[in-house]
Amino acid sequence: MNLRKIVTIVEEQLTEGGREVAPVHRVAIVLAVIDNPWAGRGFVADLGPGIDEIAPQLGALLAPRCVAALGGPVEAYGKAGIVGLDGELEHASGLIHTLKFGNHFREAARATTLLPAVEKVAPAGASFDIPLKHVTDATIRSHHQTVTAYVPDAPRPGEIVIGLAAASRGRPQERLAPLATEQ
Amino acid sequence: MIRRVVTRLEEIRAEPGVGACPPVRRVAAAAVIQNPWAGRGRVDDLAAEVEAVAPGLAVALTDRVSAILGGAAAVEAFGKAAIVGTDGEIEHGAALIHTPWFGDIVRAAFGGTSIIVFADTRGPAGTPIVVPIWHTTAAATRSHYATVEIAIADAPRPDEIVVVCAAADGGRPLARIGDRTTDTATVRLEEHRP
């Protein structure tokens, strides 16, 4: 895996709607900028070998960093894969939609649910919104949220940005009725 | 007072076309606050609010930068910036970053002696700012001229200001343009005019 850059973003929200957010809402995002392992090779039918090689390395790199950057228990999480313009959407999907990637985060976050994801093909500097859901029950409405990220110089056409995001709690002033009240 | 704090750490490991390079870390820490002069028309004396607000911002931001880089001693370059929301004056951002109530605290936090390089702008929420940084004790050190970019999707609102402190633990990863002491060319402008 050729790694060019790691970006770690931490957001702390102290007020929302003019009121204090207690406890403070924290989000951590960690992004790795890597060479697209399939760049310049035309249409590669079998992505398996590349996935097997790189997805576990990304999971092992990003998961502990994301949990450490959050600095506390992970209540909601999500992931991202942004492919540079010379690549296929499938290249990002391949690297993030595998247990070889996601289980690193699931174990580090003590999570059990599917990781919601954003995937797109985009130029360097493109903004993307990472969806997050609760780590053990994806129906918990208070924890549905998104975080925005970008890297000014990535992904270059032959690169992929792979990311993980974690939140310390539900939305800053979450106060929606739970799903069960409508069923 | 502070609505949101966002920190961004970039760990650069390689340069395009070159491959692996000596690692360098750059950080920007940004605080979103209510513009203390919002909705008040022209306020001639900004001093009272500067004294009340700027030191707390400087401490909050430098503490985070130091924590991210593993201690203030790691900081070799620094910079600062303000993004004023669209209802404010650039002067409001300048007031918060260009007085000792902010700058001296940042300088002291990182053991610096240089003037702190800066950027300011005004714009809607999400406006990115490219924050210049240079050496904390020798501003003319060419290898340390660099920038860190940061943007916050929902800030500044029209009546808010984003204040940024930026730092790095080294210079550009492959700095090789020499310095004033190594410059041997005598540049004669007339020879370079078409």
Side-chain angles (χ1 to χ4, degrees):
Chain A
M1 179 173 76
N2 292 327
L3 175 69
R4 178 162 71 86
K5 181 182 274 195
I6 305 167
V7 178
T8 304
I9 301 163
V10 176
E11 299 194 356
E12 304 162 60
Q13 179 115 9
L14 293 87
T15 71
E16 168 86 344
R19 294 193 182 189
E20 182 186 8
V21 175
V24 170
H25 179 271
R26 290 175 59 89
V27 175
I29 307 162
V30 184
L31 309 167
V33 180
I34 64 165
D35 284 346
N36 182 336
W38 301 286
R41 293 172 52 189
F43 186 89
V44 177
D46 182 6
L47 302 179
I51 292 169
D52 289 347
E53 180 196 346
I54 290 172
Q57 295 181 47
L58 286 168
L61 173 76
L62 296 174
R65 281 174 178 264
C66 191
V67 173
L70 189 68
V74 178
E75 292 197 3
Y77 69 171
K79 61 189 174 182
I82 312 300
V83 183
L85 296 175
D86 284 350
E88 286 177 58
L89 185 61
E90 196 71 2
H91 296 159
S93 298
L95 293 176
I96 65 174
H97 295 308
T98 164
L99 297 179
K100 296 171 179 123
F101 174 71
N103 275 353
H104 286 273
F105 200 19
R106 228 166 259 118
E107 286 160 18
R110 300 183 181 183
T112 55
T113 47
L114 290 174
L115 275 152
V118 55
E119 312 108 308
K120 68 178 185 180
V121 178
S127 177
F128 50 93
D129 296 328
I130 308 174
L132 311 181
K133 286 186 185 291
H134 194 278
V135 294
T136 58
D137 181 351
T139 71
I140 294 179
R141 200 176 267 173
S142 58
H143 284 59
H144 299 342
Q145 54 192 308
T146 61
V147 292
T148 302
Y150 77 107
V151 184
D153 66 351
R156 294 162 58 236
E159 292 181 330
I160 303 179
V161 175
I162 299 291
L164 293 177
S168 64
R169 50 165 289 175
R171 294 181 305 277
Q173 304 290 17
E174 59 83 9
R175 55 188 184 277
L176 300 183
L179 180 63
T181 64
E182 296 181 23
Q183 290 173 328
Chain B
M1 174 57 72
I2 296 177
R3 173 165 74 86
R4 167 174 280 205
V5 178
V6 177
T7 62
R8 182 180 185 98
L9 164 67
E10 297 226 357
E11 300 173 65
I12 300 162
R13 304 286 187 85
E15 279 287 278
V18 178
C21 63
V24 62
R25 295 182 298 162
R26 297 182 189 150
V27 178
V32 182
I33 62 162
Q34 179 83 17
N35 183 333
W37 303 283
R40 292 171 55 187
R42 174 171 168 162
V43 178
D44 284 324
D45 184 358
L46 306 177
E49 291 81 6
V50 167
E51 183 176 345
V53 174
L57 292 175
V59 170
L61 297 177
T62 55
D63 279 356
R64 284 170 173 79
V65 168
S66 292
I68 290 168
L69 290 178
V75 175
E76 293 189 5
F78 58 13
K80 60 189 177 182
I83 311 170
V84 180
T86 50
D87 283 351
E89 292 179 58
I90 288 289
E91 194 71 5
H92 298 156
L96 292 177
I97 65 174
H98 290 317
T99 76
W101 300 108
F102 186 83
D104 279 8
I105 294 171
V106 173
R107 211 166 3 252
F110 301 131
T113 53
S114 303
I115 283 180
I116 306 171
V117 65
F118 75 97
D120 58 38
T121 191
R122 172 171 45 217
T127 297
I129 193 154
V130 179
V131 187
I133 55 176
W134 66 26
H135 199 281
T136 54
T137 59
T141 304
R142 211 171 275 167
S143 59
H144 283 57
Y145 295 162
T147 59
V148 195
E149 180 173 324
I150 190 165
I152 303 175
D154 68 352
R157 289 184 164 124
D159 61 353
E160 289 182 328
I161 301 176
V162 176
V163 174
V164 187
C165 173
D169 68 356
R172 295 186 307 281
L174 298 170
R176 55 190 189 282
I177 58 171
D179 218 315
R180 293 180 174 211
T181 58
T182 64
D183 288 343
T184 54
T186 301
V187 177
R188 289 179 293 272
L189 279 179
E190 62 275 14
E191 292 179 11
H192 296 276
R193 289 208 170 97

